[in-house]
Amino acid sequence: MVQIMQTTRKPIVVVGSINMDLVAHTPRIPVPGQTLIGTGFDTTPGGKGANQAVAAARLGYPVQMVGMVGEDVFGQALLDNLTRAGVGTAAVARVPGPSGVASILVAGNGENSIVVVPGANGKVYPAYIDKQAALIRCAGMVLCQLELPIETVSLVLALCAEAGVPVMLDPAPAAPLPDATWSQVTWFTPNETEAAFYLDKSPEPEDAAQQLLAKGLHGVALKRGAEGAFLAVAGGEEAWVKPFPVEAVDTVGAGDCFNGVFAVALLEGNDPWAAARFASAAAAIKVTRRGAQASMPSRAEVDALLALST
Ligand code: RIB
């Protein structure tokens, strides 16, 4: 892949959630009222924001995280893990009360179901973002998701629009967005169910992308799991990015891996399709291993998979 050598790279700034994932591995996702015997249990760092930050940092790109963890035992472990991954944590505050947690089931085929209890993430109010405004304004790109209060995400988007900083918004979990959002977002990256949430029905990817662009977005990357990704740019091209066939054991954080790596590849000067192909390769490696942050691949691993498939 093309890399632009830069002496001073503006950091990716991720404003988002930091969770401890409590993961039960199970033969299948139980139906309501059913009890199953699990096959394993992991306590492992997650959170859509932190996952995206780690995915980008694993490629050696400078990344700063803005968020909050609790003053519990998980809070210190989550901070330590971000630091070990190379993510800057000067803008991660420790606040009284519990850290965010996610109760996760991972089925034998890699599928998952997730319930997030926000904890400290729910305390990242606009007043905290005001204190981080200088960091946000100097970002190469800002990555957001929807696990922080919506008024906080809106303020971040407004700051970025004012400063001319590109924004990648992962609308996960899907939630209503203020009208101003659409024109403030450079890349919108829903999965299939999230895209359907913002449209009247669930159209084919080509239609979904055009309908989303019509809201005022610059670019849409529809994440379609094993089908690959479909990208479209306002007034420009649209095309599929093919998947990398792998045997999935854990899909938790695969979409986050895509976003973090996609951001790096875009900032390194790749066109969106080359960047998405690089990100798809990274996500394909991620799903072959357990854990969200623990399984984010290195640049060498991604390059190796791409070399195998060309
Ligand atoms: O996208 C996966 C993530 O969603 C998990 O790590 C969990 O913490 C939730 O935020």
Side-chain angles (χ1 to χ4, degrees):
M1 80 164 335
V2 178
Q3 278 185 52
I4 293 180
M5 299 309 290
Q6 291 168 304
T7 46
T8 50
R9 295 180 293 180
K10 291 182 174 184
I12 288 174
V13 175
V14 181
V15 186
S17 56
I18 308 166
N19 296 331
M20 189 59 85
D21 289 352
L22 311 176
V23 186
H25 296 270
T26 168
R28 60 191 173 279
I29 307 292
V31 297
Q34 186 179 27
T35 300
L36 294 176
I37 301 294
T39 55
F41 182 79
D42 298 314
T43 303
T44 184
K48 294 184 196 304
N51 295 347
Q52 294 181 13
V54 169
R58 285 282 283 152
L59 301 181
Y61 210 85
V63 182
Q64 294 290 329
M65 181 84 211
V66 177
M68 290 182 175
V69 294
E71 283 176 350
D72 55 356
V73 49
F74 287 160
Q76 191 58 52
L78 291 166
L79 271 174
D80 291 347
N81 190 67
L82 285 170
T83 304
R84 268 195 305 272
V87 176
T89 58
V92 179
R94 291 199 77 179
V95 293
S99 298
V101 290
S103 177
I104 301 182
L105 299 176
V106 176
N109 63 0
E111 282 176 350
N112 66 69
S113 70
I114 303 179
V115 174
V116 170
V117 183
N121 300 300
K123 297 179 179 167
V124 185
Y125 294 123
Y128 186 67
I129 298 303
D130 286 336
K131 293 189 194 143
Q132 310 305 333
L135 174 64
I136 291 168
R137 284 197 189 99
C138 80
M141 187 178 287
V142 166
L143 274 53
C144 290
Q145 317 76 32
L146 298 180
E147 286 185 344
L148 298 185
I150 191 67
E151 60 272 28
T152 300
V153 176
S154 291
L155 175 59
V156 174
L157 267 48
L159 272 174
C160 290
E162 196 186 279
V165 175
V167 172
M168 187 178 292
L169 176 62
D170 195 17
L177 294 170
D179 288 345
T181 305
W182 305 103
S183 64
Q184 295 171 333
V185 171
T186 317
W187 283 100
F188 191 67
T189 62
N191 66 18
E192 191 172 358
T193 51
E194 290 150 6
F197 178 88
Y198 295 102
L199 302 171
D200 291 338
K201 40 188 190 269
S202 198
E204 289 303 303
E206 290 81 353
D207 288 339
Q210 290 309 321
Q211 288 178 33
L212 288 167
L213 287 177
K215 291 176 181 283
L217 296 163
H218 162 81
V220 172
L222 299 176
K223 295 183 283 191
R224 302 281 297 199
E227 285 181 312
F230 185 80
L231 265 66
V233 176
E237 291 173 56
E238 57 172 41
W240 279 95
V241 174
K242 282 193 289 185
F244 292 79
V246 287
E247 191 149 334
V249 300
D250 179 358
T251 55
V252 176
D256 301 327
C257 179
F258 180 96
N259 280 48
V261 174
F262 187 42
V264 169
L266 289 168
L267 288 171
E268 288 179 342
N270 294 280
D271 72 56
W273 284 271
R277 183 165 163 73
F278 191 66
S280 294
I285 296 168
K286 194 255 89 85
V287 302
T288 63
R289 317 197 275 231
R290 281 187 178 188
Q293 291 166 34
S295 59
M296 297 302 178
S298 67
R299 190 183 287 270
E301 290 176 307
V302 183
D303 283 340
L305 177 58
L306 282 165
L308 271 180
S309 15
T310 46

